[in-house]
Amino acid sequence: MASSSSSIFTGVKFSPILAPFNSGDSRRSRYLKDSRNKVRFNPSSPRLTPHRVRVEAPSLIPYNGLWAAQPNSHKGRLKRNIVSGKEATGISLSQGRNFCLTCKRNQAGIRRALPSAFVDRTAFSLSRSSLTSSLRKHSQIVNATLGPDEPHAAGTAWPDGIVAERQDLDLLPPEIDSAELEAFLGCELPSHPKLHRGQLKNGLRYLILPNKVPPNRFEAHMEVHVGSIDEEEDEQGIAHMIEHVAFLGSKKREKLLGTGARSNAYTDFHHTVFHIHSPTHTKDSEDDLFPSVLDALNEIAFHPKFLSSRVEKERRAILSELQMMNTIEYRVDCQLLQHLHSENKLGRRFPIGLEEQIKKWDVDKIRKFHERWYFPANATLYIVGDIDNIPRIVHNIEAVFGKNGLDNESTPSSPSPGAFGAMANFLVPKLPAGLGGTFSNEKTNTADQSKMIKRERHAIRPPVEHNWSLPGTSVDLKPPQIFKHELLQNFAINMFCKIPVSKVQTFGDLRNVLMKRIFLSALHFRINTRYKSSNPPFTSVELDHSDSGREGCTVTTLTVTAEPQNWQNAVKVAVQEVRRLKEFGVTRGELTRYMDALLKDSEHLAAMIDNVSSVDNLDFIMESDALSHTVMDQTQGHETLVAVAGTVTLEEVNTVGAKVLEFISDFGRPTAPLPAAIVACVPTKVHVDGVGESDFNISPDEIIESVKSGLLAPIEAEPELEVPKELISQSQLKELTLQRNPCFVPIPGSGLTKLHDKETGITQLRLSNGIAVNYKKSTTESRAGVMRLIVGGGRAAETSDSKGAVVVGVRTLSEGGRVGDFSREQVELFCVNHLINCSLESTEEFIAMEFRFTLRDNGMQAAFQLLHMVLERSVWLEDAFDRARQLYLSYFRSIPKSLERATAHKLMIAMLNGDERFVEPTPKSLQSLNLESVKDAVMSHFVGDNMEVSIVGDFSEEEIERCILDYLGTVKASHDSAKPPGSEPILFRQPTAGLQFQQVFLKDTDERACAYIAGPAPNRWGFTVDGDDLFQSVSKLPVAHDGLLKSEEQLLEGGDRELQKKLRAHPLFFGVTMGLLAEIINSRLFTTVRDSLGLTYDVSFELNLFDRLNLGWYVISVTSTPGKVYKAVDACKSVLRGLHSNQIAPRELDRAKRTLLMRHEAELKSNAYWLNLLAHLQASSVPRKELSCIKELVSLYEAASIEDIYLAYNQLRVDEDSLYSCIGIAGAQAGEEITVLSEEEEPEDVFSGVVPVGRGSSMTTRPTT
C-alpha cells in the first residue's frame, strides 16, 4: 500500500468507563472484536491500518463522538478491509478491498479512545462533602425497570488539589461507615428514563427510544431469537438461509427502496436480525413511513414467501459467501472457538453453515424451521429515532403485529415458566415444527373466547452449558492446541479464561468495573514503558477481558503475536509482565492517573448526551439486553461514576484486578483457575535470513515451558514515572514569540488576513510562516475538538533513488515516539492526562497528523503543544528506523500468503507500470535506505506554505486563535532539509500483451477465488494523467448534446438549464457526478452479477480520485468460486461497459442522490466529517477547492442529471486496452503456487504481516446485501 500510518506515542484507548465488560463478544477477533477492556500493545505491528496501543472497555454508552472511529459512511454497503480486517475509509485499490466480515454494520462508534499519541494509520470534581451527598442521594434512588437504555457517561475531573490528596487513595469520608458504604454499593443503578418497553398479547416485546440524531430518521430492528445454536445436526446454516430468503424475497421491503430507506440482515449464534434505517416521512408527500417499515419487517420475519426460485438463488449466494469468508483469518477464528467452547455447540455451530447441507435442503425443510422458531413471542422489536409520539408508535406496532402468532385452536397448554423454568426449557427436546416451546393459559378478549396459543421466547441467550475456568491440577489442564497452516505468517498464542457474566446492576457492580478498568489500563503502560523504546521480542501483547452476549460468558484472553523465531521470548515477557502487575499491583500514581483520565473521559460523554446516533443507541441496547446490564443515560452515568469513584482504594483495585490475571500469573498452581484453552496458530515455514524458507516446528510441551519461564523470571516493582504537565513552558513560548514574531498575514487572492463565511461558519487564516489554517466552531460535540495537519507530497514525492523513504520515515517517527527532551513514556502519559489521541499517516499525496482532544483542562492547548513539538523538535532514532524497515520487509514476505493481496498487487504493478510509490517498498529499496535518507524524505515536506491545519470543535474564537498564534505561528517556516516536494511523472502502462489480464494461483487446503478489475479515471477536479483539463471539453458541450434522454432534454428549460450549466462549470462537477456514478454501478453489479446470475456473493465498484495528483482509478472487486470467477469477471465487465446500451433510468439516479445526500446530512453533526470537508481548502496544489465546494454540495447533487452522469462515465477508460484485470484462485489444485516476489516486485495494499487472531468472523454471517 502506498500509505502508511504509525503510532508515535500510542496511548491508552478507553471505552467509557461505566460500561461493564460487555459487547466484546462477536468482535473478538483482531479485526472484528469490539473488545471492551483490552490492553493492546503493538510496538511494531505490521498492520498499516489503524492500530493503537489501547485499553478498551465496553461502555454503558454507545458513543459516536470525540474518540469514536468514524463510520465508513461513503460506502453504499458496509464493508471492511479484507486484508487487515480493519474498517477502511479509502477507496484506493492499494488500500485493499473493503467489505464487512461480520453481519453487522461498523460498530466502532461505540468505542472511545482516551489517549493515544501518534497512531500509524497509513492506508482514523469531587470533594469529601460532595461524595457524602452523592452517596446519600443515590442510596435513595427509585429503581426503574431493569434493562438496557440509552448511552450514559459519567465522571468529572478531580477538583484542584484532589490529585495530591488522592495519593493516600482513601477518599471515603470518615462519617461514612462500612455499613453505610455496603448499603450504598448494594443500591440498584437507575435505568434510562426515556426508554419505553412493552409487550403485545402475542408475546412480541418492543423497545422504543426517542433520539434526535440523525434528525427525521429512525432505526427499526426486528430481532428474532434464533440462530445457529438452535439448529439440529442436519440444519447447520438453515437460520442463515432463512435470513436470506425472507429478506430478499420481501416485496414490501422492495417498496421502501425509493424512499431513502436502507435495510439489511444478519445471523449469528443466538439471533437473526432484520433492520431498516428509514426517514420518518417520505420526501414529497410527508406520509408517515413508520407503518410501511413495520409492515415490511412483519412480512420478512413472520410471513416470508418461500418461493423455490428465491431459495435456489440464495442457495447459490450463500455457497459463494461461504467460500468468500473462508479466509485464513476465518479459519483461525473457527479454531479458537472450537477449542474455547469444545464442550458445547458454540465450537461447532458457525452461522454460515455446512456446504454439503446447504446444497440439500428443500423448501419444505426450510419452511418447517421457520415455523418452529419465527413467531412474535420469540422476537423483540427495537425502534430508536426521531420520535415525538410514542403512543402513536405503539398503536402502529399493535396494528401491524398484534394478530401474529395467535392461532384459533384449542391446544393443551402448560404453565408459563418462571425465571428458573425458562432455563429448564433449554434442557428438554424441541417441539415439532409449528409448535412453540411452552404454552400459556392466557385468554384473549375475542368474542368466541377460544384459547389462543402463546408461545414463549428464548429467555437466555445462548442456551449452552459452559465448563468454567476453575482451580484444578495440572492433570486437569487441557494440553495446548496447535493450528499450523502454510498461509499463516506469524506466531500467535491465545490463553483463554472463561467465567460467568457478572451483571452490572448495582453501584457495587459498577465499582468493580471501574477498578478492573484502572488495573488493566496500567498493564498497557507496564509493557509499553518497558519495551516500546527497545526492540521487543513480540509484535503485540493484548489482554482482553470482555463479556459476550453471543457466547453467554465472560472471556479473558492473553494474546501474544511475534515473529516465529522470537516466540518463546515473546511468551516469556508477556507472562512476566502480567505476573509483575499481579504481584505488585498498580502504584498510587497509576491509580491517580487512570482514575482521573477515566473520569475526564466520562465527563465528556455526559456532555454528549444529545449527540449519540440512533444506531449506536440501538446496538448498545440489544447487546445490553443479552447481558442483562442496567444502562443509564449520560447524566445518570456521570453521577453514579462520581459516586463510586470516591469509594475506591488502592488495595481493592489490586485485589479485584489480580483475580482477572490469576489464570496466567499463577499458572500451574492448584489455586489458579485453569485456562479454558491454550491455542497457538503458527506457520508451517518461516523465512530465515541467508537461508530462505525453512520448516517451523513447535510442541505443546514447549509452549508450557515458555509460559513457566515467564513465571520464574525475576520481577521488580514498577517505579513511578514523572509526567510532564506541559511540553512547552510559558518562558519557552515567550522566547519563541520574541524570536519569530508570529502574526496573521493576508490570504493570497483576498488581501484580507481573515476570511469568515457566516453560512458555513468556516474561518480561513494564513500565518506569517506560511502555514494555512482553517477552523470551524461547532457545538455538536460538546467541549471536544479535532485537528488535522496536511503536508503536501507524500509517497508521490519519492524519487527513484529513495523508494519507500517517506513511508518508512513516517513509521520511524512513530516508532521512536520522542519529542524534545521528553521520553516516549512521558509523552504518552502526557496524552493520557489530557485525553489526546493523535495519528500519523502517509498516503500517496500527503503526510497527515490528526488529533482528537477535549477542551477540558487545557486539552486543546496540550494538543497544539504536541503538534508544535513534533514539527519543531521530533527525535529520530536509529533503532526506531531498524524496526520500521524490518516491518516493511515482513509485509513484503507476507504477500504470497494472501490471495487478495497477491492478486491486487499483480494488477497494480501491471496498471501503474511497476511504480513502487503505489505499493509497498521492495527489500532492495529498503536495504538502500538509512536513517538520514528517510528523515530528509519526510522533513523535506515540512515547508510553511506546504502545510495546512484544519480544526473543528467547541471552542471560542479567542481560544483557537490564541493557540494558533502561540503554537503554530512559532513554528519555523522550513527545516534545514526542507524543500518543496517534487514528483516524478506517474504513468499508466501502455497496452502490453500479457499484462491486461493476469492470474494468481495459491496452494491452499480450501478453494476460494477473487478478482480485481481496474482502469484509469480522472482526479476529483477533472485533471487526467495525460495532462488534460476535462472542464475545457465539458464547457463546450451543449446540454443533452448526445441525443441521450431526449425526454429529459425537454425538461431542461429556463432555470433548470441554467442550473445544469452552473453544475458543469463548478469545480466539483466531476467529484459529484463520479460519486453518483459509483452508486449506480454498484447497484447494477449487485442486481446483475450477484442477484440475477448468482456468480458472486460480494461485488463492488469503487473510485479512487486523488486531489493533488492528476489521476485516479476505478476498481471492481469480486469474490467467487474457482468455477465461477471467470464468468463473474466477464459479467462485471459487461455491467461496467453496458451503461450506454442499457441507459441509466431516472429512478436509479434518484436513488443514488438520496443515498449520498442522506449520508451527507447524517455526517454533518460529526467534527471529523467537517475536518474532511475542510481538507485542501487553501492548498495551492488543489487550486479548484473553494468554499463553494462545501456550501453548494447539496444543490450540486440535486442538480445532477443523467446527462451529467454520462459525461463523468465517458471519462472512465473501460475499453479492452485500458482495462486491467487479475484473477486469484486458491485451492489444492490451483494452477501454480505463488512464488516469492522478486526484488523488482512490490506488494499492493494495507498489508498485515500478522494474521488477525481471535474469535469473531465465525460467529456471525455477513450482511445479506
Side-chain angles (χ1 to χ4, degrees):
M1 153 103 192
S3 59
S4 161
S5 50
S6 306
S7 132
I8 297 190
F9 320 121
T10 31
V12 180
K13 181 173 182 180
F14 292 102
S15 287
I17 184 58
L18 282 196
F21 302 103
N22 61 343
S23 307
D25 58 313
S26 66
R27 299 170 289 277
R28 217 185 297 280
S29 81
R30 216 178 270 278
Y31 47 86
L32 292 175
K33 57 187 162 190
D34 193 2
S35 50
R36 312 309 177 101
N37 202 68
K38 72 177 161 233
V39 178
R40 172 181 292 170
F41 173 49
N42 301 17
S44 55
S45 170
R47 286 169 301 169
L48 292 182
T49 43
H51 62 272
R52 291 181 168 82
V53 179
R54 62 192 179 226
V55 174
E56 296 177 331
S59 169
L60 295 180
I61 312 172
Y63 177 70
N64 192 26
L66 177 61
W67 293 290
Q70 296 305 314
N72 187 11
S73 59
H74 67 275
K75 297 287 191 296
R77 292 186 299 283
L78 299 157
K79 295 172 268 188
R80 290 181 188 264
N81 185 287
I82 57 170
V83 177
S84 67
K86 287 287 183 181
E87 183 80 10
T89 57
I91 54 178
S92 156
L93 175 61
S94 68
Q95 288 176 322
R97 167 86 171 74
N98 296 330
F99 66 87
C100 181
L101 287 172
T102 73
C103 51
K104 302 187 84 168
R105 71 185 58 72
N106 173 26
Q107 301 296 324
I110 299 179
R111 292 181 181 174
R112 283 292 293 281
L114 199 150
S116 157
F118 293 141
V119 178
D120 183 345
R121 295 187 310 150
T122 290
F124 214 117
S125 68
L126 184 59
S127 64
R128 297 196 174 203
S129 59
S130 66
L131 171 62
T132 306
S133 173
S134 296
L135 292 174
R136 290 171 179 167
K137 173 182 178 181
H138 289 291
S139 64
Q140 299 170 6
I141 289 176
V142 177
N143 295 310
T145 302
L146 175 66
D149 311 292
E150 189 181 30
H152 73 260
T156 58
W158 299 103
D160 293 341
I162 199 70
V163 173
E165 179 184 356
R166 281 188 53 79
Q167 293 301 317
D168 60 12
L169 281 290
D170 296 320
L171 289 186
L172 269 184
E175 60 269 26
I176 299 296
D177 60 27
S178 59
E180 289 179 302
L181 176 60
E182 185 176 352
F184 160 65
L185 295 178
C187 290
E188 293 186 3
L189 294 168
S191 286
H192 193 295
K194 295 182 180 179
L195 186 63
H196 180 89
R197 295 176 180 266
Q199 183 171 336
L200 301 183
K201 291 181 179 180
N202 59 14
L204 177 70
R205 301 185 185 190
Y206 58 86
L207 294 87
I208 304 171
L209 179 66
N211 192 71
K212 296 292 184 180
V213 179
N216 303 314
R217 301 193 71 85
F218 70 97
E219 298 281 344
H221 290 213
M222 177 63 75
E223 177 185 32
V224 185
H225 303 279
V226 59
S228 61
I229 209 69
D230 302 297
E231 297 164 349
E232 300 295 347
E233 287 297 325
D234 62 344
E235 297 174 333
Q236 295 184 55
I238 201 166
H240 180 219
M241 171 69 84
I242 288 175
E243 170 221 313
H244 272 250
V245 174
F247 180 82
L248 289 171
S250 171
K251 297 299 182 183
K252 292 182 178 179
R253 180 192 64 83
E254 289 181 359
K255 291 180 180 179
L256 293 172
L257 294 179
T259 65
R262 301 194 307 269
S263 56
N264 221 319
Y266 62 89
T267 305
D268 59 24
F269 282 146
H270 71 302
H271 65 196
T272 301
V273 178
F274 307 99
H275 55 90
I276 298 176
H277 173 82
S278 171
T280 53
H281 299 85
T282 55
K283 183 176 181 180
D284 301 324
S285 63
E286 289 298 315
D287 290 339
D288 187 355
L289 279 175
F290 279 101
S292 299
V293 169
L294 297 180
D295 205 25
L297 288 175
N298 184 42
E299 179 183 64
I300 294 169
F302 305 127
H303 306 288
K305 295 177 175 60
F306 292 106
L307 302 178
S308 297
S309 57
R310 174 54 65 180
V311 169
E312 292 309 313
K313 188 176 293 186
E314 296 314 310
R315 194 194 311 275
R316 293 195 302 269
I318 291 170
L319 290 172
S320 178
E321 178 186 3
L322 190 151
Q323 285 203 333
M324 182 199 67
M325 287 184 66
N326 195 31
T327 62
I328 186 61
E329 295 89 349
Y330 177 81
R331 283 175 258 178
V332 167
D333 276 355
C334 291
Q335 288 290 320
L336 297 182
L337 281 167
Q338 285 171 7
H339 296 300
L340 175 60
H341 301 300
S342 59
E343 72 275 18
N344 59 50
K345 283 185 175 182
L346 292 173
R348 303 184 299 275
R349 288 288 194 273
F350 303 123
I352 191 66
L354 298 180
E355 181 178 0
E356 61 271 19
Q357 294 190 19
I358 295 169
K359 291 178 178 178
K360 294 178 181 177
W361 301 318
D362 57 18
V363 171
D364 185 59
K365 188 170 185 66
I366 295 171
R367 183 183 291 112
K368 285 182 178 179
F369 186 87
H370 183 273
E371 292 172 350
R372 190 158 84 241
W373 293 107
Y374 295 72
F375 53 92
N378 196 40
T380 303
L381 174 66
Y382 298 84
I383 297 179
V384 180
D386 195 354
I387 300 166
D388 54 11
N389 189 334
I390 290 180
R392 177 174 59 84
I393 301 301
V394 173
H395 174 76
N396 289 335
I397 293 172
E398 291 174 341
V400 173
F401 297 101
K403 294 183 179 180
N404 288 336
L406 297 177
D407 306 322
N408 291 318
E409 300 177 8
S410 296
T411 308
S413 59
S414 59
S416 299
F420 178 79
M423 294 181 64
N425 285 339
F426 301 130
L427 306 179
V428 299
K430 294 182 175 67
L431 295 176
L435 299 180
T438 57
F439 301 100
S440 169
N441 288 321
E442 289 188 20
K443 298 182 178 180
T444 66
N445 295 324
T446 55
D448 60 3
Q449 296 295 307
S450 63
K451 292 183 179 180
M452 302 294 185
I453 297 174
K454 181 181 179 183
R455 295 175 287 193
E456 293 294 329
R457 61 174 272 175
H458 273 309
I460 297 175
R461 306 301 315 166
V464 296
E465 295 285 339
H466 288 285
N467 291 339
W468 304 121
S469 297
L470 300 173
T473 65
S474 58
V475 177
D476 303 316
L477 177 67
K478 292 192 292 185
Q481 303 297 314
I482 299 172
F483 173 60
K484 183 180 285 191
H485 201 282
E486 58 268 22
L487 295 186
L488 289 172
Q489 173 75 6
N490 285 78
F491 167 89
I493 189 169
N494 297 268
M495 294 181 67
F496 295 107
C497 178
K498 185 163 57 169
I499 62 175
V501 174
S502 296
K503 300 175 183 178
V504 180
Q505 299 178 348
T506 69
F507 283 83
D509 299 334
L510 179 60
R511 183 171 178 262
N512 283 335
V513 171
L514 173 61
M515 292 190 290
K516 288 181 183 178
R517 196 69 37 79
I518 292 169
F519 190 83
L520 297 179
S521 298
L523 181 59
H524 151 68
F525 273 96
R526 294 295 180 87
I527 299 177
N528 192 42
T529 56
R530 195 169 301 280
Y531 297 100
K532 182 67 173 183
S533 298
S534 61
N535 289 316
F538 52 80
T539 301
S540 69
V541 174
E542 174 181 323
L543 185 72
D544 177 277
H545 180 80
S546 54
D547 300 340
S548 172
R550 286 178 181 159
E551 295 165 277
C553 58
T554 295
V555 179
T556 306
T557 312
L558 175 68
T559 302
V560 183
T561 59
E563 292 288 337
Q565 60 269 26
N566 297 329
W567 78 267
Q568 289 168 310
N569 281 335
V571 172
K572 175 183 175 181
V573 165
V575 173
Q576 184 180 2
E577 289 307 315
V578 169
R579 181 167 142 251
R580 185 197 311 277
L581 181 59
K582 192 264 182 179
E583 292 296 325
F584 296 106
V586 300
T587 66
R588 297 182 187 277
E590 286 173 324
L591 175 55
T592 300
R593 183 182 308 129
Y594 296 118
M595 176 75 80
D596 189 50
L598 291 168
L599 290 174
K600 287 178 181 177
D601 189 49
S602 296
E603 181 187 26
H604 173 77
L605 280 178
M608 295 292 296
I609 188 169
D610 295 323
N611 291 285
V612 182
S613 72
S614 294
V615 68
D616 282 343
N617 273 321
L618 187 147
D619 289 335
F620 181 72
I621 292 170
M622 290 176 67
E623 180 66 13
S624 298
D625 259 3
L627 294 167
S628 298
H629 293 319
T630 300
V631 185
M632 301 166 282
D633 68 17
Q634 283 89 336
T635 302
Q636 293 168 325
H638 174 92
E639 295 172 346
T640 54
L641 189 63
V642 169
V644 300
T647 71
V648 169
T649 66
L650 179 62
E651 180 181 4
E652 287 178 296
V653 168
N654 287 328
T655 299
V656 170
K659 291 181 180 179
V660 176
L661 305 181
E662 283 180 346
F663 79 105
I664 302 167
S665 62
D666 295 353
F667 181 80
R669 297 180 185 177
T671 56
L674 288 173
I678 301 175
V679 186
C681 301
V682 303
T684 57
K685 293 183 179 297
V686 296
H687 179 85
V688 179
D689 290 339
V691 177
E693 296 291 312
S694 62
D695 293 338
F696 179 73
N697 296 304
I698 183 175
S699 70
D701 289 341
E702 288 178 304
I703 293 174
I704 296 295
E705 287 304 314
S706 66
V707 174
K708 289 182 177 179
S709 67
L711 298 174
L712 298 175
I715 57 175
E716 297 177 354
E718 189 74 11
E720 292 283 10
L721 289 174
E722 181 181 353
V723 184
K725 294 183 179 179
E726 55 187 12
L727 299 180
I728 305 172
S729 67
Q730 288 302 306
S731 60
Q732 291 173 320
L733 183 61
K734 192 177 206 179
E735 183 179 350
L736 280 171
T737 302
L738 290 174
Q739 288 177 2
R740 295 171 184 172
N741 191 27
C743 62
F744 296 118
V745 298
I747 298 169
S750 72
L752 301 174
T753 58
K754 185 175 184 177
L755 290 176
H756 177 73
D757 181 73
K758 292 183 179 180
E759 183 179 343
T760 61
I762 294 171
T763 300
Q764 299 177 69
L765 301 166
R766 181 70 63 121
L767 286 162
S768 50
N769 56 13
I771 298 177
V773 180
N774 312 304
Y775 74 80
K776 173 181 168 58
K777 295 188 293 182
S778 171
T779 59
T780 56
E781 297 179 23
S782 177
R783 304 302 291 159
V786 292
M787 174 169 59
R788 181 186 294 147
L789 165 70
I790 293 180
V791 186
R795 291 210 63 193
E798 293 176 352
T799 61
S800 56
D801 59 352
S802 65
K803 296 176 182 178
V806 170
V807 74
V808 175
V810 167
R811 185 74 197 196
T812 299
L813 190 60
S814 75
E815 287 292 319
R818 291 182 56 185
V819 294
D821 298 326
F822 299 105
S823 69
R824 180 191 184 92
E825 296 75 35
Q826 288 178 308
V827 177
E828 288 185 349
L829 293 175
F830 176 81
C831 291
V832 170
N833 286 354
H834 292 91
L835 304 186
I836 298 171
N837 274 342
C838 176
S839 62
L840 177 62
E841 175 181 9
S842 64
T843 72
E844 295 91 341
E845 47 182 358
F846 57 79
I847 296 172
M849 283 184 283
E850 184 170 323
F851 299 79
R852 295 172 181 267
F853 52 86
T854 174
L855 275 83
R856 292 171 173 79
D857 300 322
N858 296 317
M860 182 169 70
Q861 180 178 324
F864 271 90
Q865 286 186 5
L866 183 56
L867 175 56
H868 175 97
M869 292 296 285
V870 173
L871 293 177
E872 284 279 289
R873 302 185 62 193
S874 55
V875 179
W876 294 78
L877 303 172
E878 194 70 46
D879 63 339
F881 166 72
D882 290 340
R883 292 196 300 273
R885 182 166 57 181
Q886 186 59 41
L887 283 173
Y888 282 94
L889 286 170
S890 178
Y891 303 159
F892 186 86
R893 292 172 186 143
S894 67
I895 296 171
K897 298 191 176 186
S898 168
L899 180 67
E900 290 80 10
R901 293 165 55 193
T903 305
H905 157 73
K906 199 163 188 177
L907 181 142
M908 288 294 291
I909 291 297
M911 183 173 71
L912 290 170
N913 202 30
D915 196 328
E916 193 170 318
R917 291 172 293 179
F918 294 90
V919 290
E920 295 299 339
T922 64
K924 181 179 179 180
S925 298
L926 291 169
Q927 292 299 335
S928 68
L929 300 174
N930 56 50
L931 180 62
E932 286 303 314
S933 66
V934 301
K935 177 183 176 181
D936 289 345
V938 172
M939 300 311 295
S940 65
H941 293 67
F942 288 81
V943 180
D945 56 8
N946 189 45
M947 295 190 285
E948 179 187 57
V949 176
S950 299
I951 314 105
V952 181
D954 187 13
F955 41 68
S956 69
E957 180 179 341
E958 181 180 1
E959 287 175 321
I960 189 62
E961 293 188 5
R962 186 73 266 159
C963 283
I964 291 169
L965 277 174
D966 285 349
Y967 300 109
L968 293 181
T970 53
V971 171
K972 286 188 294 187
S974 64
H975 293 267
D976 296 337
S977 61
K979 59 183 181 295
S983 177
E984 294 183 357
I986 300 168
L987 301 173
F988 286 94
R989 190 187 297 267
Q990 294 301 311
T992 304
L995 292 180
Q996 303 301 111
F997 172 74
Q998 300 184 87
Q999 299 181 84
V1000 168
F1001 298 97
L1002 174 63
K1003 293 293 185 182
D1004 191 4
T1005 52
D1006 299 344
E1007 289 189 345
R1008 290 193 306 123
C1010 70
Y1012 295 102
I1013 305 162
N1019 77 356
R1020 196 184 316 276
W1021 309 101
F1023 294 103
T1024 72
V1025 72
D1026 299 324
D1028 296 332
D1029 181 354
L1030 298 178
F1031 278 97
Q1032 294 180 2
S1033 57
V1034 168
S1035 62
K1036 299 175 183 178
L1037 297 177
V1039 173
H1041 70 286
D1042 203 6
L1044 291 172
L1045 304 168
K1046 294 181 179 178
S1047 59
E1048 181 175 270
E1049 180 183 9
Q1050 297 170 1
L1051 298 175
L1052 293 173
E1053 299 177 355
D1056 290 334
R1057 188 182 296 273
E1058 290 303 314
L1059 188 61
Q1060 191 172 32
K1061 287 182 178 179
K1062 179 181 178 182
L1063 168 64
R1064 292 188 182 178
H1066 196 281
L1068 203 55
F1069 171 76
F1070 285 101
V1072 167
T1073 52
M1074 286 288 184
L1076 292 167
L1077 175 63
E1079 289 292 327
I1080 293 168
I1081 293 177
N1082 260 313
S1083 178
R1084 288 194 173 192
L1085 285 170
F1086 180 86
T1087 302
T1088 303
V1089 186
R1090 196 269 195 194
D1091 208 30
S1092 297
L1093 300 178
L1095 297 174
T1096 180
Y1097 177 80
D1098 188 83
V1099 59
S1100 72
F1101 173 89
E1102 297 175 349
L1103 281 163
N1104 184 27
L1105 305 180
F1106 290 108
D1107 289 287
R1108 295 170 181 254
L1109 302 179
N1110 291 342
L1111 79 155
W1113 57 70
Y1114 61 85
V1115 183
I1116 295 178
S1117 308
V1118 60
T1119 60
S1120 190
T1121 64
K1124 295 180 179 179
V1125 68
Y1126 294 95
K1127 291 182 179 179
V1129 168
D1130 289 340
C1132 290
K1133 291 180 180 179
S1134 296
V1135 170
L1136 179 63
R1137 293 168 174 160
L1139 264 67
H1140 278 301
S1141 58
N1142 182 14
Q1143 289 190 356
I1144 298 170
R1147 59 180 174 78
E1148 291 181 283
L1149 178 58
D1150 289 343
R1151 185 178 300 172
K1153 287 181 180 180
R1154 278 193 298 270
T1155 299
L1156 295 181
L1157 288 173
M1158 178 178 65
R1159 224 172 274 162
H1160 173 69
E1161 179 187 7
E1163 291 291 342
L1164 282 176
K1165 284 185 171 289
S1166 163
N1167 285 349
Y1169 184 67
W1170 275 102
L1171 206 59
N1172 292 333
L1173 292 176
L1174 291 174
H1176 314 301
L1177 189 56
Q1178 294 191 60
S1180 58
S1181 56
V1182 191
R1184 286 180 173 163
K1185 178 71 178 281
E1186 57 187 35
L1187 268 178
S1188 67
C1189 297
I1190 302 172
K1191 296 171 64 173
E1192 300 174 8
L1193 189 58
V1194 172
S1195 62
L1196 293 176
Y1197 276 120
E1198 291 175 339
S1201 68
I1202 293 177
E1203 176 74 6
D1204 297 321
I1205 305 305
Y1206 275 103
L1207 288 178
Y1209 172 67
N1210 290 336
Q1211 310 312 316
L1212 301 184
R1213 299 184 187 177
V1214 298
D1215 59 280
E1216 202 62 44
D1217 286 340
S1218 300
L1219 187 147
Y1220 289 80
S1221 61
C1222 188
I1223 290 175
I1225 296 176
Q1229 304 300 319
E1232 62 184 76
E1233 187 171 1
I1234 297 176
T1235 57
V1236 177
L1237 298 172
S1238 73
E1239 295 294 308
E1240 302 306 317
E1241 291 186 293
E1242 313 84 41
E1244 63 72 34
D1245 60 328
V1246 183
F1247 298 135
S1248 173
V1250 175
V1251 173
V1253 291
R1255 317 183 312 289
S1257 60
S1258 50
M1259 290 190 189
T1260 114
T1261 61
R1262 288 171 44 79
T1264 299
T1265 60

